[in-house]
Amino acid sequence: MLVVMEKTATPDQIDRVVKVIEARECTARPIPGGDRVSIGVLNNKGPVDAALFIGLPGVKEAVPITKPYKLVSRETKAEDTLIQVGDVTIGNGHLTIIAGPCAIESEDQTLTIAGHVKKAGAQLFRGGAFKPRTSPYSFQGLGEEGLKILAKVRERFSLPVVTEVMDFQTFDLVEHYADLIQIGTRNMQNFSLLKRAGESYRPILLKRGMAATIDEWLMAAEYIMAQGNHQVILCERGVRTFVHHSRNTLDLSAVPVVKKESHLPIVVDPSHAAGRRDQVLPLSRAAVAANAHGLMVEVHHQPESALSDGAQSLYPEQFELLCRQVVAIFKVCGGDEPI
Ligand code: PEP
Ligand code: MN
């Protein structure tokens, strides 16, 4: 923490800040500048709360230096984390493509789509059995029946499956069937769910909250890791902004920022960011060029009759093209980079 004093701060006011710091058993180091003094807080054991200083006479601002997250941080673990989902490795040096419908609608629909995405080159299959829908009257998912269909996909196509868990009550069930458990944007700060995920033996795909800062997102990952589960994959899926030309705004700068701050893998979901099919391919190309570790893409063979997110679901041929293009981009841009 650096406490920046007003230009007009008096020696007494500086002294008072020093005393507040020393009362927390930290070292205060006043740093005289050209026209103002700043006071460094040293030897703190954990994060220092800026609220201690804001509002004290003579204090202009309090700037946190140490990040509040530990386990997710590169300072704690410098080397990249690789996560194994079935026989698929996710993380630096790998481009993992996850694809499938928004929702599991029927066995026929699911197996048809799985055949298409497997042929095109997807390494993991996605599909929601429990759907977080904005309207309670929309299709809510097939529940356990959907999970059983996902298990058939794994068996028939040798594709590990990822599916969303929505609540604590169904966690055990989802954990039993899923190879990778998704926590969706609406639950990113559901702390009891995060703690349960932290006790899971499955890897977790943690989507960014639709209005979450990167710090909040990383703190959500910290919740999972603090319980002992260190297998966390982050997923950028767009944040809510003022625009109407897309459902959300894909924040691609999150990729280099997260890769700098954290050792955890980060994948990008262009489908929920775009909300419409015609933006998914360009956003996917950009995400891979930005060095994301993978993509999660919605695909449907009959998107016009999909029960959820048809407008953003790619036709199988479009998905094939996407795979060809992003694999080529990965050959040029992928792989290790200096942090
Ligand atoms: C999904 O992946 O099906 C989903 C609902 O995504 P999000 O939580 O990002 O909206
Ligand atoms: Mn969807």
Side-chain angles (χ1 to χ4, degrees):
M1 178 76 63
L2 189 69
V3 185
V4 181
M5 303 301 292
E6 299 282 5
K7 288 180 188 170
T8 52
T10 64
D12 276 357
Q13 289 171 340
I14 294 170
D15 203 41
R16 180 160 173 198
V17 171
V18 167
K19 289 209 168 71
V20 169
I21 295 169
E22 288 174 350
R24 317 283 302 183
E25 294 183 350
C26 300
T27 309
R29 173 82 42 85
I31 309 160
D35 54 2
R36 70 172 83 240
V37 172
S38 298
I39 306 166
V41 183
L42 307 179
N43 300 326
N44 44 307
K45 303 265 181 307
V48 180
D49 191 354
L52 286 173
F53 308 104
I54 293 165
L56 284 185
V59 171
K60 182 166 188 287
E61 56 182 330
V63 188
I65 307 289
T66 325
K67 295 289 186 186
Y69 39 82
K70 293 190 183 70
L71 298 170
V72 303
S73 169
R74 271 205 193 274
E75 285 181 14
T76 306
K77 179 175 183 278
E79 65 281 7
D80 291 295
T81 291
L82 294 176
I83 290 175
Q84 202 63 34
V85 184
D87 55 6
V88 178
T89 307
I90 303 180
N92 230 20
H94 303 263
L95 176 68
T96 305
I97 304 177
I98 307 168
C102 180
I104 303 302
E105 299 168 7
S106 69
E107 187 170 320
D108 244 21
Q109 169 251 16
T110 307
L111 296 180
T112 304
I113 298 170
H116 284 300
V117 301
K118 169 86 183 185
K119 184 164 146 268
Q123 295 116 300
L124 253 88
F125 187 77
R126 65 145 288 146
F130 294 95
K131 292 304 305 173
R133 305 304 301 277
T134 302
S135 164
Y137 309 116
S138 301
F139 176 60
Q140 303 285 308
L142 294 181
E144 185 167 9
E145 191 192 334
L147 296 174
K148 287 185 174 155
I149 296 173
L150 281 169
K152 285 196 181 148
V153 169
R154 174 174 44 232
E155 217 173 284
R156 188 165 311 176
F157 296 96
S158 301
L159 284 170
V161 297
V162 50
T163 196
E164 177 165 353
V165 67
M166 273 181 35
D167 47 42
F168 202 90
Q169 296 91 301
T170 53
F171 202 107
D172 290 2
L173 190 65
V174 173
E175 187 177 46
H176 175 72
Y177 286 98
D179 297 292
L180 173 62
I181 298 174
Q182 176 173 325
I183 294 192
T185 197
R186 293 158 189 82
N187 269 319
M188 190 209 80
Q189 282 191 318
N190 180 337
F191 298 116
S192 50
L193 195 65
L194 296 176
K195 284 184 184 166
R196 174 62 185 87
E199 288 165 6
S200 180
Y201 56 93
R202 298 287 191 195
I204 308 294
L205 182 74
L206 178 65
K207 291 192 131 191
R208 180 178 179 182
M210 63 180 83
T213 64
I214 289 180
D215 277 0
E216 287 165 339
W217 186 19
L218 292 179
M219 286 307 280
E222 186 82 18
Y223 258 91
I224 299 171
M225 294 179 76
Q227 294 302 115
N229 186 355
H230 289 199
Q231 306 178 82
V232 181
I233 300 162
L234 300 162
C235 178
E236 160 63 37
R237 49 78 72 200
V239 288
R240 187 164 277 192
T241 65
F242 49 85
V243 306
H244 297 298
H245 61 263
S246 57
R247 181 172 173 185
N248 291 287
T249 298
L250 184 61
D251 179 12
L252 272 188
S253 63
V255 175
V257 172
V258 163
K259 288 179 84 168
K260 196 167 185 168
E261 288 296 320
S262 177
H263 51 86
L264 296 174
I266 173 167
V267 302
V268 168
D269 170 351
S271 305
H272 290 88
R276 39 185 296 167
R277 191 174 302 129
D278 58 350
Q279 296 173 7
V280 172
L281 180 57
L283 292 180
S284 301
R285 290 190 299 240
V288 176
N291 268 333
H293 296 121
L295 296 171
M296 181 154 91
V297 182
E298 287 186 343
V299 178
H300 203 293
H301 64 306
Q302 287 168 340
E304 50 294 322
S305 48
L307 297 181
S308 174
D309 285 348
Q312 68 199 31
S313 300
L314 295 186
Y315 289 98
E317 320 77 74
Q318 293 176 311
F319 179 66
E320 263 177 59
L321 176 66
L322 181 151
C323 288
R324 278 203 302 278
Q325 293 193 343
V326 298
V327 165
I329 293 169
F330 180 70
K331 284 197 180 124
V332 180
C333 306
D336 288 326
E337 57 194 311
I339 298 294

